[in-house]
Amino acid sequence: MTATAYPFAPEKHRVALRSIFAEIAAASGEGTVGEPELREILRRHPKNGRGFYSKSELVRGLRWLRRCGDADALGLPPERELMATLRMKPVRTRSGVAPVTVLTRPYPCPGKCIFCPSDVRMPKSYLSDEPGALRAGEHQFDPYRQTFARLLSLHHTGHPVDKVELIVLGGTWSFYPESYQLWFVQRCFDALADFGAGVRRLDELRTAVDFRRLEERIEGGRSRRSYNRVVADFVARFGDPERGSSVACWDQLAEAHARNEEAPVRCVGLSVETRPDRLDEAEAERIRRLGATKVQIGVQSLDDEVLAANRRGHDVAATRRAFDLLRQAGFKIQAHWMPNLFGSNPERDVEDFARLFDDPALRPDELKIYPCSLIESAELMAYWRAGRWRPYGEDELASVLVACMRRVPRYCRVTRVIRDIPGTDIVAGNRVTNFRQVVERELERRAELSRDIRAREVRELEIDVREVELSVEEYETSGGRECFLEALAPGDRLAGFLRLRLPERPAFLSELGRAAVIREVHVYGQAVALGGRERGLAQHRGLGRRLIDRARRLARECGYDRLAVISAVGTRGYYRRLGFADGELYQVMALASEVPAR
């Protein structure tokens, strides 16, 4: 990155920055420098004599001082210790990777769900003043601009961005044209490549359709025109935002993938979101070919009556089929589930949640819990006005969520408990945004703890890898068994895990056949740069290799002659070094043939 790319020029503040970091270095020798201590230091060295330096400016200043050689002269502590003080929102990379979320542009939706917001300035179900949606709107949903800007923001605030999880949100991915999907993913990879190379091409891009100019609004239950009609008409008037992008093709995407394999900024995970009724074998294969490793899927309810009452458009059988296809293809599955839907009640919700993990055809790897909120543009408004639906009270909702969290098994990660909807958008319903903390405090009061993955991650805690032990939990799923391998530090702290599928029948993808499949490998702890090691942190300490070695032995003992992995584009080199060979969509390792048949 060049200095001209940033409005803050560290060289103009050299004296102040040297003084600030000299004090930080001195204070670090006496213990951790927390927020109060840092604030006092900044107060003594105001920016331009009147204000505080921001953390992002301090991060840039620190990097500049190191390049100039001033850091050594000042006796600064290691980078890790300083970044622990300066890094903004460290939780963003505590799971070991840098998440970069991008949204697709507004597009007609195949669903007619009565609870779904219909903000025509956004892809279906999203709201224009949600944080991620705001950023997407500012960049007119351009994938390159969104990706590059997010990387820049993370870099400026002290986060390593060489291992990126791309999260593609927005409506139903599988309903977008294939040409748009190809162009969108390729442009995300182009942004990763340019950022890693220090290249900035934002000015070369043409302007897409600015949906913020769309003045028409939908009022739930009263508007004559639907979301699909309004969005389609607006695009017809002002041009198709993917016009000119149809030249994107599979060969070009494959080239972008190949460039990313050993790039400075690599994609170590890619997820898209879709509906159960939009998934078939061809669609699952296409999603994999795009480079995806995870699929977010809207389950919403496992009660056919509730699904029908909410005009969801599919039944529970479709959800089971979708899960089966995704598992066969090796994807990690993140389910979305909604309590407080029309036609349900607290008792019915608790029973419904239990089906998620009692039914072997389901059992998701990750979960987002989205209690239904009333949004003005949703058709549910008419039901509320008529007194046919009401939102749960805070205590009522807390009781449901506590009962649900108690049922989450060790192999599942609850990513969200409440959707981040601004309170100003909620007409009626819950406005508490920290419900996970509310639930965990109640569990603690009952002398219980959440067992899910997120509650047990080591995060930034220091560990001794020699004390880490591997354990295996097995459970049945449709068409096979799952082995959840855990790397556990003392105190049941999760340093890493691996998901191994042992299928009972050949997969629909001939490349996999009846191979055992590694669906995910994840080592937790604050993200560490590629190739780097930091004392006490879990990443790059050989835990991933240990987990894979155990998975290989398990698969061989169970009679499998091949082990496949659904590797992300940016992890292909890692798996090659472990002995996996490239296939068309997967990487595969041959196992010893002398093991008796299962």
Side-chain angles (χ1 to χ4, degrees), residues 17-174:
L17 289 171
R18 282 177 59 92
S19 298
I20 288 169
F21 282 108
E23 288 202 34
I24 291 176
S28 297
E30 301 174 5
T32 303
V33 179
E35 287 290 336
E37 293 83 3
L38 178 62
R39 193 169 184 84
E40 284 302 313
I41 293 173
L42 296 179
R43 194 186 304 279
R44 290 192 288 272
H45 305 282
K47 179 183 176 183
N48 298 324
R50 61 180 181 274
F52 282 177
Y53 287 93
S54 70
K55 282 192 173 182
S56 62
E57 289 170 340
L58 293 176
V59 168
R60 293 181 222 175
L62 172 63
R63 288 170 174 157
W64 181 79
L65 289 173
R66 288 197 183 280
R67 289 197 299 272
C68 295
D70 285 8
D72 294 335
L74 292 170
L76 294 185
E79 183 92 359
R80 172 194 160 198
E81 293 181 21
L82 283 174
M83 283 304 175
T85 299
L86 302 179
R87 186 179 290 125
M88 292 175 62
K89 297 185 178 179
V91 69
R92 284 177 176 159
T93 50
R94 276 183 184 162
S95 292
V97 297
V100 172
T101 300
V102 293
L103 266 70
T104 52
R105 61 96 163 174
Y107 193 76
C109 177
K112 298 180 180 179
C113 311
I114 65 172
F115 52 79
C116 192
S118 294
D119 187 336
V120 293
R121 296 163 294 184
M122 287 288 130
K124 196 68 162 71
S125 86
Y126 289 85
L127 297 165
S128 56
D129 51 0
E130 292 181 87
L134 270 172
R135 292 193 298 266
E138 289 171 358
H139 295 289
Q140 298 182 35
F141 303 99
D142 185 280
Y144 183 101
R145 292 174 186 262
Q146 291 184 71
T147 304
F148 198 99
R150 198 67 188 131
L151 291 171
L152 202 61
S153 175
L154 288 166
H155 177 75
H156 282 353
T157 51
H159 296 271
V161 294
D162 47 356
K163 294 179 293 185
V164 169
E165 180 185 13
L166 273 173
I167 304 169
V168 181
L169 303 179
T172 302
W173 173 261
S174 303

Side-chain angles (χ1 to χ4, degrees), residues 311-332:
R311 296 171 60 192
R312 177 63 180 162
H314 66 80
D315 56 12
V316 179
T319 301
R320 292 192 180 101
R321 285 193 297 272
F323 271 59
D324 182 57
L325 286 172
L326 293 174
R327 270 213 176 84
Q328 286 188 59
F331 288 106
K332 180 168 64 174

Side-chain angles (χ1 to χ4, degrees), residues 284-299:
E285 182 176 353
R286 175 165 40 248
I287 291 173
R288 176 59 194 142
R289 195 172 295 276
L290 289 167
T293 53
K294 177 169 74 174
V295 175
Q296 300 191 42
I297 188 162
V299 169

Side-chain angles (χ1 to χ4, degrees), residues 502-524:
L502 303 175
E504 295 175 348
R505 62 177 187 272
F508 69 88
L509 290 160
S510 58
E511 180 181 352
L512 288 177
R514 195 173 164 271
V517 182
I518 295 175
R519 296 193 300 116
E520 182 183 12
V521 181
H522 199 121
V523 176
Y524 281 110

Side-chain angles (χ1 to χ4, degrees), residues 256-278:
H257 284 174
R259 288 193 297 271
N260 188 255
E261 289 181 11
E262 299 294 338
V265 179
R266 300 178 200 171
C267 177
V268 298
L270 170 62
S271 70
V272 299
E273 60 178 352
T274 191
R275 291 165 51 97
D277 53 329
R278 304 304 303 183

